[in-house]
Amino acid sequence: MRSFTTVCLWAYYIYQASAAAVADFRSSLNAAGIQAVFPGDPDYADSSRAFNRRFTFSPVAVTYPTSANQVADVVKLGTAYNYKIVARSGGHSYVANGLGGANGALVVDLKGLSQITVSSNTATIGTGNRLGDVALALNDHGRAIPHGTCPYVGIGGHSSYGGFGFTSRMWGLTLDTVTSMDVVLANGTIATLSETQSPDLFWAMRGAGGSYGIVTSITVNTFQAPASAMVFEYMWQFSASAAANAASAFQQFVQGTDLPREFDSEFTISKGNSPGTVTLQFVGGWYGPQDQFNAVVSPYLAQLPRPSSSKFTPGSYINSVAYLAGGDSLNVHDKPDGTDTFYAKSLMTPENSPISLTALNAFMSYMGNEGYNTNLNWFVQMELYGGRNSAINSVAPDATAFGKRDALWTIQFYASSPNWAPPYPSSGFTFLDNMVNSIISNSPADWNYGAYANYIDNRLSNWQQIYYGSHYQQLRQLKQTYDPNNVFSFPLGIEE
C-alpha cells in the first residue's frame, strides 16, 4: 500500500510532466505562428467561458487559427500531444461542447476564418462567421439562406446539425443548402467534400459534422431574398384546455391545407396570468405577396377567440431577420454575446401521428399549473417543420445524416435559473423532464418521435436513437473509418 508521501510525490511528478508537456505544446504553437490562450493567461477566463453557465470547463488551451492550414497544424500538434480536439464556431452549444464538454480539451476557435464570398447563386462562408454576419453579407447581394434567429450563433455548428428558421419550410434547413465543404480531418489533412468527393463523409458531415472533422468553410446554394417579408404575431391568454384545442386545431389546419411554402410559424408558450392558464403566442414569417396573407391564416384564426393582441411588421427581408432576432442590430460585433444558465430539451414529433388532444391537454395543463408555480424563467417553442409543401420534409430521409425528415413539429423546452445566473437548481431538470413526459406518456407506445441535436440535451439517455435514428450505425462505422482514435471527442458525439 502506498504511503501518503508516495502518493503526493507521484502526483507531483505527474503534474510536472504534464506542465512540461503543456509548455512544449505552447512553444510548438508559437513556432507555427498560431495564437493561443492557456490557463493562467489574462484572457483565459473569457476565452473558456461557456454560453450556458451551467457548465464550467477548463480547456488545455484555446487556439485561434486564421486559415485552414493553421487549423490543420493545430490538429497535427494536438494529436501529437494526445489531446482531444473540438471546434468552436460561435460557442452556443447548449452543453458547452465547443469547450469539449469536459476538462482538458484542445479548443480550435474558428473566429479568424471569417471570409464570405458571394458569387451568383452560391456563397463560400468561413465557419468563424455568426448568423448575423451571414445574413448581412448575403443580403448585400440580394441573396439569403435559411437559418435560425439568434445572430450570435455560429454557422459551423448550425449547419452541421440542422439549421431551422422561419424560411425553412420554403428553403429547407441550413445543412440542406451545403453543396461542398472544406474539412480538416483527424489526421491533419485538408479535404474538400461534396456529393462526388468523399460522398460518404459528406453525408455524415451534414447532420453529425463535429464528430469527423473541423469544417473551415462551406459552399452553399443561396436564394433570391424575398421582395418583401412580414412578421406576424398573435397572442392569447388561454386556459390549458383552450390552448390544447388551439394547438390541435392548428395541426389539423396544417395537414388539411395546401399551406404555401412561404409560410412558417411557431407557438411560443409561457407562463399565464393565473394558475391553470398559459400565454400562447402565434408568431411567424410570411414571405409571399402581403395581400395574400389573410387568406392563408384566416381559416385557422376563425376557429379561435379574438386574440388579446396582434401585430404585423411588414418590410424588407433583412428587416424581418433583424426583427425576429429581437429587434437588435444583426451586427454581432457591436456588443459582446450574452450568457444564460439553463437546461433545454426537444421533441421532433411525427407528421403521420400528430400529438393527440389527450397529450396536448396534459402538456398544457402541466405548463398552466407547474409552469405557473415555478420560479424558473421558461418558455416552449413549437416550431412548424412539416405540412404540405415543406422543403424540410421534401428531402429524402437518407439524403443526409440529419435524423428526422418526417417531423410535424420540433418543440424546444427551455428553462433558465431564476436570475439567469448560476447555480442551476436541480428542480429545473425535473421540471423540464416532466414537461416532455406529459406528451410522451400520453402518446402511443410506438410513437416515432425524435429530438433535435442543435438543442442538445446531455441528460438524454437514448440519444443515439433519438437524434440519429436508423442513421446511427452508419455514422458509427464512418467514425471508425475517418477518426478511429476519437480525436474529435465530446459528449453525445458519435462513438468510435
Side-chain angles (χ1 to χ4, degrees):
M1 183 174 179
R2 291 175 178 172
S3 69
F4 178 75
T5 301
T6 301
V7 170
C8 288
L9 285 171
W10 174 76
Y12 172 77
Y13 290 134
I14 292 294
Y15 170 78
Q16 290 293 97
S18 176
V22 171
D24 287 345
F25 180 57
R26 184 196 286 262
S27 296
S28 298
L29 289 173
N30 286 338
I34 298 166
Q35 180 186 354
V37 176
F38 284 77
D41 290 349
D43 295 335
Y44 182 78
D46 287 339
S47 297
S48 60
R49 182 176 292 114
F51 167 67
N52 186 352
R53 295 180 64 195
R54 185 160 66 87
F55 298 93
T56 303
F57 298 126
S58 298
V60 67
V62 179
T63 62
Y64 294 93
T66 57
S67 68
N69 286 331
Q70 284 199 345
V71 173
D73 288 341
V74 173
V75 171
K76 291 173 186 175
L77 288 170
T79 55
Y81 284 85
N82 202 31
Y83 295 133
K84 296 300 183 183
I85 302 173
V86 67
R88 180 170 68 181
S89 177
H92 269 248
S93 169
Y94 280 12
V95 299
N97 274 348
L99 293 171
N103 292 329
L106 174 60
V107 176
V108 184
D109 189 294
L110 301 170
K111 70 177 184 179
L113 281 66
S114 58
Q115 73 282 0
I116 299 177
T117 305
V118 183
S119 176
S120 187
N121 336 341
T122 65
T124 299
I125 302 168
T127 47
N129 285 287
R130 308 291 184 102
L131 299 187
D133 298 321
V134 174
L136 290 170
L138 295 184
N139 188 70
D140 286 344
H141 298 266
R143 310 300 293 181
I145 59 172
H147 56 72
T149 57
C150 176
Y152 286 90
V153 166
I155 189 67
H158 196 62
S159 61
S160 291
Y161 293 93
F164 170 81
F166 286 108
T167 57
S168 284
R169 287 193 72 256
M170 180 167 63
W171 293 335
L173 301 171
T174 308
L175 65 79
D176 295 327
T177 69
V178 178
T179 59
S180 68
M181 59 181 69
D182 289 338
V183 182
V184 176
L185 303 178
N187 61 7
T189 61
I190 301 172
T192 298
L193 311 181
S194 68
E195 293 285 4
T196 58
Q197 297 171 282
S198 302
D200 57 344
L201 185 55
F202 184 57
W203 174 86
M205 295 294 294
R206 291 170 297 155
S211 291
Y212 301 92
I214 298 179
V215 183
T216 59
S217 70
I218 57 174
T219 297
V220 298
N221 281 326
T222 64
F223 300 86
Q224 180 68 46
S228 64
M230 183 174 70
V231 178
F232 58 89
E233 303 165 85
Y234 302 89
M235 187 174 292
W236 295 265
Q237 288 293 321
F238 270 147
S239 68
S241 60
N245 288 333
S248 181
F250 188 71
Q251 289 185 143
Q252 296 174 41
F253 166 72
V254 168
Q255 295 197 306
T257 305
D258 193 26
L259 196 63
R261 287 190 173 195
E262 293 83 2
F263 173 93
D264 208 343
S265 66
E266 68 183 25
F267 286 122
T268 299
I269 307 159
S270 55
K271 184 179 294 188
N273 290 337
S274 60
T277 68
V278 297
T279 300
L280 185 72
Q281 185 183 27
F282 179 45
V283 59
W286 169 248
Y287 304 97
Q290 292 187 17
D291 59 2
Q292 296 179 16
F293 173 72
N294 285 336
V296 173
V297 297
S298 57
Y300 170 63
L301 295 175
Q303 303 176 58
L304 304 183
R306 184 181 181 88
S308 57
S309 66
S310 58
K311 184 178 180 181
F312 308 95
T313 308
S316 67
Y317 169 75
I318 199 65
N319 286 345
S320 76
V321 176
Y323 185 87
L324 289 165
D328 292 336
S329 168
L330 292 173
N331 186 343
V332 298
H333 310 285
D334 284 346
K335 61 180 181 180
D337 195 4
T339 60
D340 194 1
T341 305
F342 66 95
Y343 178 49
K345 300 180 75 68
S346 67
L347 276 181
M348 300 184 75
T349 71
E351 189 159 35
N352 64 0
S353 182
I355 306 173
S356 69
L357 185 57
T358 298
L360 285 169
N361 270 308
F363 175 46
M364 297 295 182
S365 178
Y366 184 90
M367 290 187 289
N369 292 288
E370 299 300 324
Y372 183 81
N373 292 324
T374 185
N375 63 350
L376 297 165
N377 297 296
W378 65 271
F379 64 85
V380 173
Q381 291 173 322
M382 300 179 67
E383 301 163 347
L384 179 62
Y385 269 50
R388 299 179 188 177
N389 302 313
S390 168
I392 301 172
N393 292 353
S394 67
V395 176
D398 297 328
T400 69
F402 185 77
K404 198 163 183 62
R405 291 290 184 173
D406 63 348
L408 180 59
W409 301 105
T410 289
I411 309 175
Q412 176 177 204
F413 312 82
Y414 191 109
S416 301
S417 63
N419 62 350
W420 293 277
Y424 191 77
S426 60
S427 61
F429 302 115
T430 303
F431 175 67
L432 280 195
D433 288 344
N434 289 342
M435 186 184 290
V436 174
N437 287 336
S438 72
I439 298 175
I440 295 174
S441 64
N442 286 284
S443 298
D446 61 348
W447 203 45
N448 186 28
Y449 66 90
Y452 181 43
N454 269 342
Y455 301 151
I456 194 166
D457 172 9
N458 66 314
R459 298 175 67 252
L460 190 62
S461 60
N462 55 342
W463 59 270
Q464 297 92 337
Q465 173 64 31
I466 298 301
Y467 286 136
Y468 298 107
S470 62
H471 294 157
Y472 188 73
Q473 287 308 314
Q474 185 176 352
L475 288 168
R476 191 169 184 183
Q477 291 168 8
L478 290 168
K479 178 71 170 179
Q480 294 165 357
T481 299
Y482 288 100
D483 186 14
N485 296 319
N486 202 23
V487 170
F488 303 113
S489 176
F490 47 86
L492 282 68
I494 305 301
E495 299 154 319
E496 77 278 14

